[in-house]
Every structure is written in C-alpha cells, then in structure tokens.
Amino acid sequence: MNTDAKTAAERVFRQESGRILAGLIRFSGSFDRAEEAMQEAFSAALASWPEKGIPQNPAAWITAIANRKLIDQSRREKTRQEKQDSLRYETTASSYSDSGETDETSMHFPDDRLRLIFTCCHPALRWEAQVALTLKTLGGLTVAEIAKAFLISEPTVAQRIVRAKRKIEEAGIPYEVPAGDRLPERLASVQAVIYLIFNEGYIATAGDHLIRTDLCAEAIRLARVLCELLPREPENTGLLALMLLHDSRRDARVNPAGELVPLEEQDRSLWHAGQIYEGLRLVEHALRAGAIGPYQLQAAIAAVHAEAKTSRDTDWRQIAALYQELSRRHPSAVVSLNHAVAVAMSQGLEQGLKLIDQLGDTAGLKSYYLYHAARADILRRMGRQDEALQEYERTLALTTNAVEQRYLRRRIAELTSSARRSNF
C-alpha cells in the first residue's frame, strides 16, 4: 500500500472523522449506519488513493463517498425517508462519477458537531451515556479511553454506548441544537464532554505520546463555539479559559527526548503567552459575572500557576483556598486530593500527607494512580525514600501512558540509586 495514501487517510481520520461522522448522522438519522458508511469510505480511500492519487480535499472525498454509500443502502432497503435530506443525498450523489471522483470545489459540508453534542446530551439519556456516546462519536475516543476517564470497566462503557444509540433511534430524539429555553438542561453534560475530550488529549490514557494535540484543539474549538452560542454563560467562558491555560504549557511538558517534565521543572519561556493572556482575561470576565461554577474555579487555579514567573513564586495558599472553595461547592475525591497537595505545598508536607492518607481510607482512591503519585512525591520531598519508592512502583503499575511510565521509572531509578549510596 502507498505509504503517502495511508498517512493521508490516517490524518483525515484523526482530524476530520468527528466532523464527517456528525454530518453523516444528520443525513442518515442513524449512528450505526453513519459509522458503517464512514468506515467503508475510508476503506475505499485506501484502495483508490494509492492508484489514482490523493484528492485535493481528502475529507470532502471521504464525506462524498460515505454519503453515496448511505444512498445506496437506503435504496437497497427501500426505507429512504421522503424529506429534504433525501434531496440533499441525491444532489450530492449526482456530482459523483462511477470512479468515485468528486467535484470538490463545489462541495460545502456543514459543521454538525455541535448539533451532534446536543443530540447525545438529550435529557432522555442518562448522564453517563450522554458523555460516553459523545466521546466515542464526536471525539473519536476508544471504549478503553472512555473507561479510563470514567474509572469504570470497558464492558460498562460499551453497553452505555449501545443503549444510548438505541434510545435515540427508538425515542425519535431530534438531531438539533435545542432552542434557548431548553439549552440549560443540556449544557452541563455538553461542558463535561468537552472537558473530558480535552483531558484525554492533555494526558493521553495510553500510547507513546503524553499529549494528543488534535483532541486538545478540538475541545478548545468546541468551547469557543459554545461561548458564541451562549455568550452570557460564565461557565462556558470558564471552561474555555481553563483549557487555554492548561494547553499553553504543552511545549514545556515533554522535553526533546520525549520525557515528561513536571510543572515545577518546566521552562516557562516555552509557555504560550498568547493563550495565557487570553485565558487570564477570560477568567476575570467570567468571575465578574457573579455565578461561580466549577470550571471558573479551576480556571482561577490554573491562572495562579500561569501568573507565577517561577515555580517558587507560585501562591500555593491561594491555590489551596480555591480548591477548598471548589470542594465546598462541588465536592469530589479528586478535588479533595488536589486540595491536600496544595496544603502540603503551602502549610507543610506532614499536614498534606495526613489529608491524603485520610482520603485513601475514606474516598476509594487507592486504585487511582494520581493518588499514589501524590503520596510518592510528598514522601520523596520529606526524604522518606523507601516509602516513596513503594508509592512510585504502585503508581507505575496503574499507569498506561508510555511517557508517564518512563518518568516514573526515572524517579524509581533515582531513589534506588540514592538508597544504595546511603547504605555505604
């Protein structure tokens, strides 16, 4: 197979599959048919492009072929709906030749991704199913990646996705962005979906790369769309600010050797000043609205980190206070863990470790790798090397990302070497 054609197809899938699939679902009214048509179109590309060349607009080519396959399927089954979208199918199909070539200059495919998010987040679906389905369909995440984000099993996620698709079709849930008076009931789930997509890009669940910039960029783009749609909703602004401030550090988080660089060791000259400036401005604007929510508080925490010129300048007391407020308004075990770390950095390592240990006993975090990572880091700072080494090993056993694994092995090697030297 032609390597260039395969690379082009993989790039289109990585960058455009969400957009293509969203449009196909709108045309077909079926998640499963749209996914099948897109998969067949990519298979056709892998067969055609090595011989005939890569089209000028590969994404449009894929979309056109997938649309034609939907038409053919509809004709075979004789279930094509008599509605305007059927006419759009026929219009699109008429521009194809038998060879599958397209008049790409005349093809304009609408962006239906926001429509898809709100359909997936319909109140008739359970919240967990809403998020899982949208991550799978729009974000392109695998079932394993979604399961990691939810800290649940893969079969559970797969069942949620299947049931959600069935519910949408059986209940006739409309494929639309809801009217203004119905938007709030969907908004929290939409925000959660976008942030989970960003988090998967920011720290990839598995693989050889820590960061998936395509997912981060997609989440930021979707957050901008939300802000345009609901400009007076401060949580949308807070969410966008939070992601911009985190994403601003992307080039400093991995060194040229591909190794993870923790926040306190990062070269802050590599942080993206433009994103930081926009993020800080958005945080201030959101907080002035007076309707404080979790994304705004998290963005405020990220802003404190962004404003510190060096790691020593970080105002950990302010961060601890913000986490405490976040925990009061929206309690969760992970927020409490972050608060405990901030306490350790601002009020004393012993006090922070005590809070972390209490969480391990009461909040069910002992299977969460960042719980053990937090304990390991604090124990290392306290000079309790043997205990820190055990915690790093526990963290490593629970970590699936290759970059994080290499970082943890380096820490383990450093502690092991230090322990050997101290024994002489």
Side-chain angles (χ1 to χ4, degrees):
M1 179 181 294
N2 184 289
T3 303
D4 291 341
K6 181 179 179 181
T7 300
E10 291 175 347
R11 183 173 61 252
V12 173
F13 185 85
R14 184 174 62 252
Q15 297 177 352
E16 300 288 346
S17 61
R19 184 193 302 270
I20 294 170
L21 187 58
L24 295 175
I25 292 171
R26 179 168 64 87
F27 283 139
S28 67
S30 168
F31 283 79
D32 291 334
R33 290 184 181 183
E35 289 173 349
E36 181 180 352
M38 186 174 73
Q39 291 170 2
E40 291 181 359
F42 274 101
S43 296
L46 293 175
S48 173
W49 293 358
E51 179 182 347
K52 299 180 179 180
I54 301 169
Q56 182 179 353
N57 189 336
W61 193 99
I62 294 289
T63 305
I65 297 302
N67 268 313
R68 189 174 67 178
K69 290 183 179 297
L70 286 172
I71 298 168
D72 292 343
Q73 181 186 60
S74 181
R75 285 172 174 161
R76 287 194 304 269
E77 297 176 357
K78 298 181 181 180
T79 58
R80 188 161 33 123
Q81 298 177 337
E82 298 296 331
K83 58 182 181 180
Q84 185 176 3
D85 281 347
S86 295
L87 296 177
R88 294 185 61 134
Y89 278 124
E90 299 293 351
T91 301
T92 305
S94 67
S95 67
Y96 310 153
S97 68
D98 291 339
S99 65
E101 295 175 349
T102 64
D103 179 10
E104 295 166 3
T105 60
S106 65
M107 295 168 61
H108 302 283
F109 296 105
D111 188 342
D112 291 301
R113 284 175 287 187
L114 190 63
R115 188 193 307 264
L116 175 57
I117 288 181
F118 277 106
T119 301
C120 293
C121 295
H122 193 279
L125 303 176
R126 293 175 60 88
W127 184 87
E128 298 90 342
Q130 295 171 5
V131 178
L133 178 61
T134 308
L135 284 170
K136 175 68 167 62
T137 307
L138 187 88
L141 275 67
T142 65
V143 169
E145 291 167 340
I146 299 169
K148 182 70 172 181
F150 280 111
L151 303 178
I152 56 177
S153 70
E154 293 181 31
T156 298
V157 172
Q159 289 173 2
R160 287 175 180 175
I161 292 171
V162 170
R163 290 170 182 167
K165 289 179 181 179
R166 185 183 304 130
K167 179 72 172 182
I168 288 173
E169 294 195 15
E170 292 178 352
I173 291 174
Y175 190 65
E176 64 183 12
V177 177
D181 60 341
R182 291 185 288 124
L183 275 174
E185 66 185 0
R186 313 256 194 108
L187 190 55
S189 292
V190 171
Q191 291 165 343
V193 166
I194 293 174
Y195 194 41
L196 279 172
I197 292 173
F198 178 84
N199 278 335
E200 179 57 37
Y202 190 71
I203 303 179
T205 303
D208 296 327
H209 301 282
L210 180 71
I211 306 169
R212 296 174 60 183
T213 56
D214 54 333
L215 287 181
C216 291
E218 171 66 7
I220 290 172
R221 191 200 72 82
L222 288 170
R224 291 191 188 281
V225 173
L226 266 190
C227 288
E228 293 172 4
L229 182 65
L230 296 171
R232 297 183 180 180
E233 172 51 58
E235 271 292 80
N236 291 339
T237 306
L239 174 60
L240 176 58
L242 173 62
M243 294 189 297
L244 286 170
L245 291 169
H246 281 324
D247 192 56
S248 70
R249 304 196 293 262
R250 63 184 179 275
D251 291 341
R253 295 177 59 226
V254 179
N255 66 21
E259 298 171 336
L260 183 149
V261 182
L263 179 61
E264 66 178 343
E265 298 175 14
Q266 289 175 13
D267 179 357
R268 301 192 177 207
S269 69
L270 297 177
W271 290 6
H272 290 253
Q275 284 184 306
I276 292 174
Y277 175 81
E278 183 183 5
L280 294 176
R281 180 177 58 81
L282 290 171
V283 170
E284 183 179 354
H285 175 73
L287 293 175
R288 281 202 306 264
I292 306 300
Y295 294 113
Q296 295 168 71
L297 288 170
Q298 291 176 77
I301 292 167
V304 176
H305 284 296
E307 290 174 321
K309 300 301 182 183
T310 69
S311 62
R312 291 188 299 273
D313 297 329
T314 304
D315 189 345
W316 283 104
R317 286 189 177 276
Q318 185 179 359
I319 290 174
L322 287 166
Y323 270 123
Q324 188 171 27
E325 180 64 15
L326 179 60
S327 181
R328 185 183 71 81
R329 291 171 177 265
H330 304 276
S332 79
V334 174
V335 170
S336 296
L337 176 62
N338 289 328
H339 171 254
V341 171
V343 168
M345 298 300 292
S346 62
Q347 301 175 36
L349 297 175
E350 286 282 2
Q351 187 172 348
L353 182 61
K354 182 178 179 180
L355 291 175
I356 291 175
D357 289 342
Q358 289 173 354
L359 287 170
D361 293 333
T362 62
L365 286 179
K366 290 189 176 180
S367 61
Y368 184 43
Y369 82 106
L370 290 180
Y371 165 80
H372 295 285
R375 288 197 84 247
D377 184 64
I378 292 175
L379 288 166
R380 177 182 62 83
R381 293 173 188 271
M382 296 172 68
R384 294 162 60 174
Q385 295 182 344
D386 290 342
E387 294 172 87
L389 182 59
Q390 293 176 359
E391 285 300 300
Y392 277 122
E393 289 174 343
R394 291 189 182 102
T395 307
L396 178 61
L398 295 168
T399 303
T400 55
N401 182 276
V403 177
E404 290 182 304
Q405 288 172 343
R406 287 196 294 272
Y407 169 77
L408 292 168
R409 291 192 183 101
R410 178 167 65 85
R411 283 294 194 200
I412 290 170
E414 291 171 352
L415 286 172
T416 302
S417 177
S418 177
R420 288 172 180 169
R421 287 195 302 269
S422 65
N423 289 332
F424 286 107

